[in-house]
Amino acid sequence: VSMYFTLLRTWKNLALSPTEIAQKLKHFFRMYAINRHKMTTLTPAYHAENYSPEDNRYDLRQFLYNTSWTWQFKQIDSFADSLEKQS
């Protein structure tokens, strides 16, 4: 939800309505949730090295997400609707 307000400020010079920005943001997060698990897999060549400065051992980010983001998307839609009614 905070990214939506950040994008509203950042993209204010573009000819995008608050609803269009909401659609773009929701599409981004839906695709991120679908593809996040792919960032945690390592190629066999990566495992073949004896020394690695980054072995993802300390990466504790979540990698399985619910793709519907129901609460967040509902909040974004309500904010977009209220901003559309104001303008």
Side-chain angles (χ1 to χ4, degrees), residues 2-17:
S2 64
M3 186 182 282
Y4 177 68
F5 291 115
T6 302
L7 287 176
L8 281 174
R9 285 191 306 272
T10 305
W11 291 352
K12 65 183 174 186
N13 295 331
L14 300 176
L16 295 174
S17 69

Side-chain angles (χ1 to χ4, degrees), residues 2-83:
S2 64
M3 186 182 282
Y4 177 68
F5 291 115
T6 302
L7 287 176
L8 281 174
R9 285 191 306 272
T10 305
W11 291 352
K12 65 183 174 186
N13 295 331
L14 300 176
L16 295 174
S17 69
T19 305
E20 290 173 322
I21 292 174
Q23 289 172 348
K24 288 179 181 292
L25 183 66
K26 291 190 299 184
H27 177 73
F28 169 79
F29 275 109
R30 189 172 294 115
M31 293 297 109
Y32 178 80
I34 290 171
N35 294 312
R36 170 67 177 111
H37 72 282
K38 296 176 185 177
M39 290 184 251
T40 61
T41 59
L42 302 175
T43 62
Y46 192 84
H47 288 291
E49 294 291 324
N50 288 332
Y51 171 76
S52 172
E54 172 60 39
D55 58 2
N56 289 337
R57 179 182 339 189
Y58 304 110
D59 187 5
L60 302 177
R61 293 178 293 168
Q62 182 177 352
F63 65 92
L64 293 176
Y65 289 99
N66 182 358
T67 58
S68 63
W69 300 90
T70 51
W71 185 85
Q72 291 86 351
F73 286 177
K74 200 178 299 181
Q75 294 294 317
I76 290 171
D77 287 336
S78 69
F79 287 127
D81 290 340
S82 66
L83 289 173

